[in-house]
Amino acid sequence: MRKSVFILAAVVTGFLFSGCGYNKMVSMDEAVGAAWAQVENVYQRRADLIPNLVETVKGYAEHEQETLTGVIEARSQATSMKVDPANLTPEAIAQFQEAQQGLSSALSRLMVVVEQYPDLKANQNFLDLQAQLEGTENRITVERMKFNETTMAYNAYIRRFPELITAKIFGFGKKAYFEAQTGAEKAPEVKF
């Protein structure tokens, strides 16, 4: 009896001194949440640029109202889609990604329209907004990559032994990643 109490005390003491990985899991979970917040931040930056872009285009391309309305509606849908960092499931990220892809598609259509207006393409305000939008798209790519790296480190940590026991006890679950859109593996077909 005395020996089992000693073993139990040693195990409990070991867990207390090692922290069972709990504190590191908390830190890593927070890092995933912070990385997700940064992803949302750069998407918000893109959304904030769009009203100025639409207003600039509107001055030159008034009869392109359908395209402009499509961009505004896609922006509204993309900015209304929020994902709780505590619930980063594949489905939640896919819905977020779908809303953002809708906005990207609408912006692509807008850029096609812009090609028809040489005066607009030469407008300095438009050129500045276009450069900011391109920079933002690059930031989105970088932040998504950082999010996936942070998520990978977290997911790997909570699946290792003995941390997986602590993760199971305290409810630390696997987080989802950003994944490429369906069909992204195929190069676009270009015809002249």
Side-chain angles (χ1 to χ4, degrees):
M1 178 76 168
R2 192 167 174 81
K3 189 174 183 178
S4 63
V5 171
F6 177 73
I7 292 172
L8 181 61
V11 169
V12 169
T13 302
F15 275 126
L16 291 175
F17 284 112
S18 72
C20 309
Y22 177 81
N23 290 337
K24 186 168 182 177
M25 282 179 215
V26 169
S27 295
M28 293 178 89
D29 186 53
E30 287 296 318
V32 170
W36 177 255
Q38 190 55 28
V39 167
E40 288 183 320
N41 183 36
V42 291
Y43 274 115
Q44 184 61 51
R45 184 179 194 285
R46 178 175 75 165
D48 291 346
L49 289 171
I50 290 170
N52 292 333
L53 186 66
V54 167
E55 284 302 312
T56 302
V57 172
K58 193 185 292 184
Y60 287 86
E62 292 177 8
H63 62 281
E64 302 291 349
Q65 193 61 38
E66 185 178 326
T67 303
L68 296 172
T69 301
V71 170
I72 292 167
E73 288 172 358
R75 178 191 180 271
S76 176
Q77 185 176 0
T79 57
S80 69
M81 181 66 204
K82 299 290 182 198
V83 178
D84 178 9
N87 188 29
L88 290 171
T89 63
E91 297 80 18
I93 290 181
Q95 288 176 337
F96 180 84
Q97 215 170 343
E98 186 178 318
Q100 297 303 329
Q101 185 57 38
L103 180 53
S104 294
S105 295
L107 284 171
S108 294
R109 288 189 297 277
L110 180 64
M111 292 305 159
V112 168
V113 165
V114 165
E115 291 297 317
Q116 301 170 18
Y117 299 91
D119 291 344
L120 174 58
K121 288 187 342 187
N123 177 287
Q124 190 58 48
N125 190 32
F126 176 77
L127 293 174
D128 291 345
L129 287 167
Q130 188 176 24
Q132 287 185 42
L133 200 55
E134 288 169 4
T136 299
E137 292 297 333
N138 291 335
R139 288 179 181 154
I140 288 169
T141 300
V142 168
E143 294 304 331
R144 285 174 51 157
M145 182 185 70
K146 287 179 183 177
F147 170 79
N148 279 350
E149 289 170 352
T150 305
T151 301
M152 181 193 69
Y154 167 82
N155 286 342
Y157 186 77
I158 67 166
R159 292 179 58 213
R160 281 188 250 160
F161 186 82
E163 289 83 7
L164 65 91
I165 297 168
T166 304
K168 193 71 135 174
I169 291 170
F170 291 103
F172 288 95
K174 188 175 178 192
K175 307 281 186 187
Y177 299 98
F178 268 103
E179 295 179 9
Q181 293 288 349
T182 305
E185 69 281 355
K186 297 178 187 175
E189 188 177 318
V190 179
K191 292 183 181 180
F192 293 101

